[in-house]
Amino acid sequence: METSGLGIGRVAMGPLLRVLTGPDEPLRLTPRPILRYAAPLGLLALAGLGAINAAYLQDARGMHDFWALLLSVGAVLPVALAARRPLQGWRVAFVMLFLGTFGSAPSESWPWSPVQIIGYLVIVLLVALTEEAVITVWITACGVVPAFFLTDQGNAYGVAVLLIAVALLGDVLARRRRNRHQLAEQTELTELERARRAVLEERARIAREMHDVVAHHMSMIAVRAETAPYRLSDLGEPARDELATIATAARAALTDMRRLLGALRADSEEAPREPQPGLADLPDLVAAAQRAGVTVTWSPAGSGEAPEPVGLAAYRIVQEALANAARHAPGSKVEIAVLALPDRLEISVHNSPPQSDPNAAAPHPDDPQPDGPHPDNPQPDGPDPDSPHPDSPQPDGPTPGGHGHGLTGMRERADLLGGTLSAGPDARGGYVVTASLPYREDSE
């Protein structure tokens, strides 16, 4: 029971200690044009009230000019202070409740001047508007106590009722303001949730469309390529090998499609937990490009181990660079170098000029392509392994403005890991893509 009593005492005395000696953070006022004029006008009004209070003290109490001026400053200064720091303003006003009775005449109904009474009520209202209810209770109680010692009993009850009424008014207004603020926040959260739900629904719709249309056709390509040797008896060995390559590429595209559908459905349905490609899958990517007719050589080096996000980014960068080389430099030789250092992964993909025109420079992926497809059209399966020849006509037209998504995607992958990526033609008419991907802890 004693422990419980001590706990209740701490709960009750904690707010009182804050009222008397606790910190008082300045109010955060919303910048408004009217505040530029409110501060000087308010100070001017307080100065006028101070002058009125000084004249009242001189007339009613016969007080000397100096003391009248000093008490008048003490009557209006707490109001100016409470405009920014309500608790500090109240502390000064509370002390003035005792000092303000100096020289009061028996003919006065109250031991305080009217200006001091109005100023104290304004401060109590400000505290009730800005502080918690328990702070307002202590402020009101501290103001009522001097009234019973410094005034007669009838006036003391009037002071108590007036203080409680002002405190209740401020508390009601403060609660209404907080409720409006919470309602606005809840409305904003509701709008955000609606927008998020709309995005999820759109992603789910896109996933359904991709599954029903693209995945269906890719499955048909894979099935027809795999069954063609059994349906067509006069196929030669090169044609059978080409059909097998097409079937393998179609199956790989289906696997990537399932991963993409899983990402689209991640927030609405259970996404598949299939492993993402990484550095260990680069030999298969190179082999697929070679089967498609691209001359590729690659040289892995280094002993560092790349984190999974770095490996995935490296795989996608090499995949897109191979696709661009196969599409825009047909017949060129592609050299891939991957260097795994202790702190980063260095990647270089260089292709020679196309054999069709050795003196022509390879087109830049960011340059406009008026007569052919843009290099930034994403190729999820590498350098078009499902096409019979890399320089066969492509159905995709140029991207307006010459800016697509492939090269941008590569740069975004590098930026997400804190790395760098550069791409551009070299002095021999070829094209080179280099990337540096650091091993950061936040990417592991």
Side-chain angles (χ1 to χ4, degrees):
M1 295 296 292
E2 294 180 358
T3 304
S4 177
L6 291 175
I8 295 175
R10 292 193 187 96
V11 172
M13 297 302 295
L16 177 60
L17 293 176
R18 182 171 180 270
V19 166
L20 298 177
T21 60
D24 186 19
E25 297 294 332
L27 298 179
R28 294 183 176 88
L29 302 178
T30 304
R32 295 179 181 177
I34 193 175
L35 293 179
R36 298 178 182 178
Y37 308 100
L41 290 177
L43 292 176
L44 184 62
L46 289 178
L49 291 174
I52 294 173
N53 188 72
Y56 171 84
L57 294 178
Q58 290 173 349
D59 294 340
R61 301 182 184 180
M63 192 172 291
H64 189 271
D65 293 348
F66 174 77
W67 295 110
L69 178 63
L70 188 62
L71 290 181
S72 297
V73 172
V76 298
L77 180 62
V79 180
L81 186 59
R84 286 288 290 168
R85 298 177 182 268
L87 283 181
Q88 291 187 8
W90 176 86
R91 290 165 189 162
V92 177
F94 182 72
V95 174
M96 289 303 301
L97 288 180
F98 299 93
L99 299 180
T101 61
F102 175 73
S104 59
S107 59
E108 294 183 78
S109 302
W110 306 90
W112 308 286
S113 66
V115 172
Q116 186 176 1
I117 294 174
I118 295 174
Y120 188 82
L121 293 177
V122 170
I123 293 173
V124 171
L125 181 63
L126 288 175
V127 173
L129 287 172
T130 56
E131 297 292 339
E132 301 175 354
V134 64
I135 301 295
T136 304
V137 170
W138 279 113
I139 291 291
T140 306
C142 291
V144 169
V145 170
F148 282 91
F149 289 97
L150 300 176
T151 63
D152 56 62
Q153 189 173 4
N155 288 337
Y157 284 109
V159 171
V161 171
L162 186 59
L163 283 176
I164 293 174
V166 172
L168 286 176
L169 175 62
D171 186 67
V172 169
L173 294 177
R175 290 178 185 272
R176 289 186 60 185
R177 185 181 61 183
R178 285 193 292 267
N179 290 337
R180 285 197 303 267
H181 183 67
Q182 292 175 357
L183 180 60
E185 289 184 346
Q186 188 63 36
T187 303
E188 183 179 359
L189 291 176
T190 302
E191 293 298 329
L192 292 175
E193 183 62 26
R194 288 177 180 174
R196 178 177 176 274
R197 189 179 308 145
V199 171
L200 293 179
E201 291 175 355
E202 182 65 15
R203 288 172 60 177
R205 186 189 67 81
I206 294 174
R208 287 194 301 269
E209 293 293 332
M210 293 180 66
H211 178 270
D212 294 341
V213 180
V214 182
H216 170 73
H217 289 300
M218 291 303 301
S219 299
M220 293 301 299
I221 292 173
V223 171
R224 292 182 67 85
E226 289 175 345
T227 60
Y230 304 98
R231 294 183 288 103
L232 305 175
S233 58
D234 56 346
L235 291 176
E237 192 63 28
R240 292 175 181 269
D241 293 341
E242 187 67 22
L243 288 171
T245 301
I246 294 174
T248 302
R251 293 296 181 189
L254 283 173
T255 301
D256 286 341
M257 181 66 67
R258 292 190 187 97
R259 294 194 186 104
L260 178 59
L261 294 179
L264 288 173
R265 295 168 173 168
D267 293 329
S268 56
E269 301 177 12
E270 184 65 24
R273 302 297 182 180
E274 298 179 2
Q276 295 290 323
L279 291 180
D281 299 293
L282 284 179
D284 296 335
L285 180 64
V286 172
Q290 291 172 342
R291 288 194 300 268
V294 182
T295 303
V296 184
T297 58
W298 85 299
S299 55
S303 58
E305 292 187 4
E308 183 177 346
V310 175
L312 174 60
Y315 181 91
R316 294 305 185 194
I317 290 173
V318 173
Q319 184 184 47
E320 182 63 30
L322 275 174
N324 288 339
R327 194 182 310 119
H328 300 285
S332 64
K333 296 180 180 180
V334 182
E335 299 177 357
I336 303 174
V338 178
L339 177 60
L341 299 175
D343 60 339
R344 67 186 185 278
L345 186 69
E346 300 286 345
I347 303 169
S348 174
V349 182
H350 174 264
N351 65 269
S352 62
Q355 289 187 355
S356 58
D357 187 2
N359 297 322
H364 195 291
D366 277 346
D367 293 337
Q369 305 294 331
D371 300 322
H374 193 275
D376 284 347
N377 291 327
Q379 300 292 331
D381 303 321
D384 292 333
D386 55 344
S387 300
H389 195 274
D391 60 351
S392 59
Q394 301 292 331
D396 298 331
T399 301
H403 297 280
H405 304 286
L407 189 56
T408 302
M410 287 195 289
R411 286 199 175 99
E412 288 177 351
R413 290 183 182 275
D415 290 342
L416 286 175
L417 298 172
T420 58
L421 185 139
S422 61
D426 62 4
R428 296 177 296 175
Y431 202 84
V432 59
V433 176
T434 59
S436 178
L437 308 177
Y439 304 159
R440 298 192 306 175
E441 293 183 358
D442 56 354
S443 66
E444 295 179 356

